[in-house]
Amino acid sequence: AAPWSARTLGIDGTTREYFVREPTQPPRAIVLLLHGNGGSARALASTERPHALHAWHAIAEREALRLVIPEGAAGSEGRQGWNDCRADADNNPTTDDVRFLTRLAAAEQPRGRRVPVFVAGTSNGGQMALRLAIKQPRAGRGVAAVVAAMAASSECRETRRAVN
C-alpha cells in the first residue's frame, strides 16, 4: 500500500493540514474523504480503528485514485468538523470550508492535466460534501454522504444546477 504524506494548505490566514495517498500509477481521479464532527484526518488515514471510509484505501489502489483527507476546523466545542449547511448547528466551525475544499481539490490536481474530483464524507463530513455540491456544483464530479442528510434547517439555498 502506498504511504500517506502530510501536507498543508494556507487559506484565509490559517494553515490547514491534510493527508494524501498517492496511487502507484498516475491518478485517474481525486477523492476527498471528509471525517465527521469530532473525527480527524489522521484517523481516516490510519487503519488502527475501523471506519466506514477505510474501504477507500483498497479502492484507491485498485482504481489509481489520489486520496486526499483534509482536517476539519475546530468548532465552538473544540471538536474538529465542517461548516456545513445546518443553520441550527451552533458547534460547527465558522471557516469557509467550501473555499478550502475547492482550493484543496485544485491544488492536488496532477501536473499538466486535470482529473475528476469526488467527495465522500460521514456524518458532518457527509453534510459538508452536500454543501460543496450545492455551493460549487462544478467543483466535483459527484458526492457521497454516509450517515448524513440534508439539513432540516438549512442556510444553503437550493441550487438550480444538477448535482451528482
Side-chain angles (χ1 to χ4, degrees), residues 37-81:
N37 185 281
S40 73
R42 189 171 302 280
L44 281 183
S46 168
T47 55
E48 289 180 19
R49 301 178 91 192
H51 193 284
L53 294 182
H54 283 159
W56 280 101
H57 294 220
I59 294 167
E61 188 58 39
R62 184 183 71 231
E63 302 296 329
L65 306 174
R66 177 178 288 169
L67 288 185
V68 178
I69 305 179
E71 190 68 77
S76 63
E77 297 173 347
R79 295 164 50 104
Q80 299 295 105

Side-chain angles (χ1 to χ4, degrees), residues 53-154:
L53 294 182
H54 283 159
W56 280 101
H57 294 220
I59 294 167
E61 188 58 39
R62 184 183 71 231
E63 302 296 329
L65 306 174
R66 177 178 288 169
L67 288 185
V68 178
I69 305 179
E71 190 68 77
S76 63
E77 297 173 347
R79 295 164 50 104
Q80 299 295 105
W82 305 99
N83 186 2
D84 61 30
C85 285
R86 293 175 297 153
D88 58 353
D90 296 335
N91 61 332
N92 276 352
T94 58
T95 48
D96 186 346
D97 289 329
V98 169
R99 186 170 178 214
F100 168 58
L101 294 173
T102 302
R103 285 207 178 159
L104 178 59
E108 285 302 322
Q109 286 290 334
R111 286 193 183 155
R113 64 189 181 94
R114 296 195 60 80
V115 296
V117 176
F118 298 88
V119 184
T122 57
S123 191
N124 172 237
Q127 290 164 326
M128 185 62 222
L130 294 171
R131 180 176 199 159
L132 185 63
I134 291 167
K135 294 288 197 175
Q136 291 290 334
R138 292 184 179 166
R141 182 74 57 87
V143 300
V146 180
V147 295
M150 289 300 298
S153 175
S154 180

Side-chain angles (χ1 to χ4, degrees), residues 4-25:
W4 291 93
S5 61
R7 299 181 186 173
T8 59
L9 178 69
I11 186 162
D12 298 331
T14 62
T15 300
R16 304 274 298 261
E17 184 178 37
Y18 64 100
F19 294 88
V20 176
R21 184 173 189 264
E22 295 288 348
T24 54
Q25 304 168 39

